[in-house]
Amino acid sequence: MATLGQLLPSCGGTVLNSRTLLTSPFPSPARTRNFRVKMSIPATQASIVLPENRIILGCGSVGVDFLAAVASYPNPDDKIRSTSFQVQGGGNAGNSLTCAARLGLTPRIISKISNDSQGKGILEELEADGVDSSFIVVSDGGNSPFTYIIVDNQTKTRTCIHTPGYPPMIPTDLSQSNLLSSLDGAKLVYFDGRLHETAAVVAEEANRRGIPILIDAERKREGLDHLLSFASYVVCSTKFPQNWTEASSIPSALLSMLLRLPKVKFVIVTLGEDGCLMLQRTEIDNLDPEERDVDDLFEKLKQKKDTNATSPACISSNVAKLHAKGIGTISAICANMPPEKMLPFAAQVAAIKCRALGARAGLPHYTDPRLTPFLV
């Protein structure tokens, strides 16, 4: 669990821990199964122990970000000056694995770039941070992925204009020997939903080997449903759960995701300044708790949050059988499980990261004194 926490720099907020009874979307006694699930809000301190084998593999996007901050977003045909400018590595997979490397893990990455100047910079930056780039395919010609990012200081928003890499990565770019070598010794495989054809090949082999799979579900993408079928863990952007499930609320959408994805142990949705919401499942027996509505429980947990707190805190649910209209039922029991230690640490990483321009500039190292209270 500590490893997963280090891979979730945007998490920080509410977790759901409970014993649960999971049924199909249309409950039937013949299809009833017992599970354990958990909801809470990250704790102030955590005990993080790195595994002896720290190898993780990521498959997805890398690129170059051209970041320009402006006083306010320009109107059509305006000419304005930036207030600050940076060029740094980007791409969800590249960013996540950079974070993992700085926090003491040993990441490898599968992706594709071109042999242009931008591609050279991508490799140099990843390698400088300790990410193994030996499984990145370098094409002869074409262009590496890059993104223009306009950061609006007035509205605190950013606008991205992305140019994909060319030629795109296809499964035959990754030889069978490199596929097997990339997975050798890996304790976790991460996917950001990009390069879906190659990602599917990697996921199928990881699944065959029994390696846990983490999916970063930012938005609906081609091939993402197939990847989700292999997922052990899913981390979502704010809008994804409801867009994917068409549920009426975020808590109900998370419940629906667990029902639809029987291999998933937990699902997290990041909520920006409101932290995150997590629903976790574990096998249990002989549980018959009081039934509660998942949205009602979430609202009660939010009421327990300390609005004056200066560091992440974790609030857990009591024993409950959770249900959502038209979706199904999950029963739950609170316990002091690793997520309550994982999320505060991840929230702190996220808070530190958000104090600098761009996706990587602010990512802390494991030795950062601001992380010390969460590592004792």
Side-chain angles (χ1 to χ4, degrees):
M1 284 296 187
T3 300
L4 294 172
Q6 293 151 6
L7 290 176
L8 308 179
S10 56
C11 294
T14 311
V15 187
L16 176 59
N17 274 335
S18 47
R19 280 183 164 179
T20 68
L21 175 69
L22 178 63
T23 68
S24 65
F26 301 95
S28 168
R31 300 181 64 181
T32 295
R33 297 169 60 194
N34 287 331
F35 294 96
R36 173 176 174 176
V37 172
K38 186 169 184 175
M39 187 183 269
S40 35
I41 300 174
T44 53
Q45 290 194 350
S47 177
I48 305 298
V49 179
L50 289 173
E52 291 185 8
N53 185 341
R54 304 177 183 181
I55 298 173
I56 61 171
L57 173 66
C59 177
S61 61
V62 296
V64 176
D65 288 348
F66 298 92
L67 295 131
V70 296
S72 62
Y73 195 83
N75 294 315
D77 211 30
D78 272 359
K79 290 185 178 180
I80 61 172
R81 290 188 177 186
S82 62
T83 58
S84 61
F85 175 77
Q86 285 192 21
V87 179
Q88 58 181 264
N92 287 5
N95 298 337
S96 295
L97 296 177
T98 296
C99 180
R102 294 187 186 184
L103 295 175
L105 303 185
T106 307
R108 303 166 178 165
I109 187 167
I110 294 173
S111 193
K112 186 173 184 177
I113 58 173
S114 176
N115 61 351
D116 54 10
S117 60
Q118 292 175 177
K120 181 180 178 181
I122 290 169
L123 291 178
E124 289 177 348
E125 188 170 355
L126 288 171
E127 291 165 357
D129 269 308
V131 179
D132 182 350
S133 64
S134 59
F135 300 103
I136 290 182
V137 177
V138 181
S139 67
D140 188 10
N143 66 274
S144 298
F146 64 93
T147 304
Y148 295 121
I149 303 174
I150 302 174
V151 180
D152 186 338
N153 292 330
Q154 184 179 59
T155 62
K156 310 301 180 184
T157 58
R158 51 88 174 113
T159 301
C160 302
I161 305 171
H162 179 65
T163 299
Y166 185 84
M169 189 170 196
I170 56 177
T172 53
D173 285 334
L174 184 66
S175 68
Q176 182 68 10
S177 61
N178 276 350
L179 170 63
L180 299 180
S181 295
S182 68
L183 288 165
D184 188 33
K187 296 302 181 183
L188 180 77
V189 183
Y190 163 89
F191 298 95
D192 65 5
R194 302 292 185 98
L195 314 178
H196 68 276
E197 292 178 334
T198 302
V201 173
V202 178
E204 288 164 6
E205 181 62 25
N207 181 66
R208 189 185 70 80
R209 295 186 180 202
I211 304 173
I213 290 173
L214 170 64
I215 305 293
D216 182 350
E218 181 181 30
R219 60 183 176 87
K220 288 184 177 181
R221 300 183 188 277
E222 185 177 0
L224 180 59
D225 284 5
H226 182 59
L227 282 179
L228 286 171
S229 69
F230 297 109
S232 308
Y233 315 100
V234 184
V235 181
C236 312
S237 65
T238 303
K239 296 180 180 179
F240 180 84
Q242 288 179 273
N243 288 343
W244 193 71
T245 65
E246 299 183 355
S248 60
S249 68
I250 289 177
S252 296
L254 298 187
L255 179 59
S256 181
M257 290 183 70
L258 282 188
L259 292 166
R260 296 186 189 187
L261 303 171
K263 292 183 179 180
V264 169
K265 296 179 180 179
F266 69 62
V267 58
I268 292 175
V269 58
T270 58
L271 303 173
E273 63 182 11
D274 292 323
C276 73
L277 176 65
M278 176 179 180
L279 189 66
Q280 180 195 9
R281 170 169 59 205
T282 307
E283 299 275 351
I284 59 93
D285 295 309
N286 302 320
L287 181 66
D288 187 23
E290 170 190 6
E291 184 167 321
R292 299 183 64 180
D293 181 80
V294 65
D295 293 300
D296 178 65
L297 177 58
F298 176 51
E299 290 302 318
K300 284 181 169 55
L301 287 181
K302 288 201 299 183
Q303 292 172 13
K304 296 180 181 180
K305 292 176 66 174
D306 181 0
T307 57
N308 296 317
T310 57
S311 61
C314 190
I315 301 172
S316 300
S317 65
N318 295 320
V319 176
K321 179 182 287 186
L322 303 180
H323 67 270
K325 294 179 180 178
I327 294 176
T329 298
I330 292 185
S331 54
I333 186 172
C334 176
N336 293 323
M337 299 295 289
E340 291 162 324
K341 298 178 180 179
M342 173 185 76
L343 292 182
F345 177 73
Q348 181 71 350
V349 172
I352 295 171
K353 175 261 179 191
C354 288
R355 296 176 184 178
L357 182 65
R360 297 191 195 175
L363 287 172
H365 289 80
Y366 193 73
T367 54
D368 192 307
R370 292 171 292 183
L371 295 179
T372 301
F374 300 86
L375 298 172
V376 295

